[in-house]
Amino acid sequence: EVQLVQSGAEVKKPGDSLKISCKVSKFNFLNFWIGWVRQMPGKGLEWMGIIYPGDSETTYSPSFQGQVTISADKSITTAYLQWSSLKASDTAIYYCARGTIAVAGGYYFDYWGQGTLVTVSS
Amino acid sequence: SYVLTQPPSVSVAPGQTARITCGGYNIGTKSVHWYQQKPGQAPVLVVYDDRDRPSGIPERFSGSNSGNTATLTISRVEGGDEADYFCQVWDRIRDHPFGGGTKLTVL
């Protein structure tokens, strides 16, 4: 069965850097997109961006462009989401998900990781 | 950016039909996807491309999309359907907004 396994919860201070991971298995990492979704405490889902590991093409939501970096390592079938300087407002659960192309364009997420809780507090 | 509007809550008795709407300008021209999220769990895709169901999703879940409104319909609602439901589309500026979510309560 398709699996996306995310790294564990993190507690960081404002200004810290962070890189969380999403290890995938049971499907061809190079033939699908991997996206990231933020869910702030008690709030809805926010689409952050997506990467195609086959050629590292990456698209960011305008809301997250310049705030985070999405990358992938084909050799270990793992995608990453990173911050260079965290803020308290980055406190959230972050999900990775497999993206499949939709009929009318764009992607939908058909498999999801379990989520990584990131807490940023001084 | 493109805005998707969902009702904050929908309530329905067991065995009845729940309809959750997702409003957006000319949404009928876009592919709409729906996710179910239960407390403490990751979202699950229940409908994609307006009306298709992933394997393992009951036939009770169906979708439609026309004009300015897409609808997720859950027939013969069960207690286990109680969850938050989110719609999602792709916008031409390459954003993929989600709706604000609808909490389905089974009375």
Side-chain angles (χ1 to χ4, degrees), chain A residues 16-97:
Chain A
D16 285 352
S17 63
L18 175 65
K19 191 173 189 178
I20 62 174
S21 66
C22 173
K23 166 72 174 173
V24 313
S25 58
K26 305 293 176 62
F27 70 92
N28 191 332
F29 188 59
L30 304 182
N31 288 354
F32 287 88
W33 295 75
I34 302 295
W36 289 91
V37 174
R38 182 174 80 174
Q39 188 166 39
M40 299 178 74
K43 301 299 184 182
L45 305 175
E46 298 174 272
W47 194 93
M48 301 177 71
I50 199 163
I51 187 168
Y52 189 72
D55 61 8
S56 295
E57 179 182 345
T58 308
T59 301
Y60 294 92
S61 164
S63 301
F64 291 93
Q65 180 82 47
Q67 308 304 308
V68 296
T69 301
I70 294 171
S71 61
D73 186 334
K74 291 184 283 192
S75 67
I76 55 172
T77 65
T78 300
Y80 301 96
L81 177 66
Q82 68 180 89
W83 295 259
S84 59
S85 181
L86 286 161
K87 303 183 284 287
S89 57
D90 293 317
T91 295
I93 296 173
Y94 294 87
Y95 293 100
C96 66

Side-chain angles (χ1 to χ4, degrees), chain B residues 19-82:
Chain B
R19 294 180 179 84
I20 299 172
T21 59
C22 177
Y25 179 72
N26 270 350
I27 196 173
T29 64
K30 305 179 183 296
S31 283
V32 180
H33 322 298
W34 291 91
Y35 303 87
Q36 175 195 68
Q37 186 180 33
K38 296 181 179 179
Q41 298 184 20
V44 172
L45 179 72
V46 292
V47 167
Y48 65 96
D49 287 337
D50 296 343
R51 60 182 66 248
D52 292 331
R53 275 177 292 103
S55 61
I57 300 300
E59 291 184 9
R60 301 185 297 104
F61 288 81
S62 63
S64 62
N65 184 19
S66 180
N68 294 315
T69 304
T71 302
L72 173 69
T73 300
I74 309 171
S75 304
R76 302 181 299 282
V77 166
E78 303 173 356
D81 299 331
E82 192 162 278

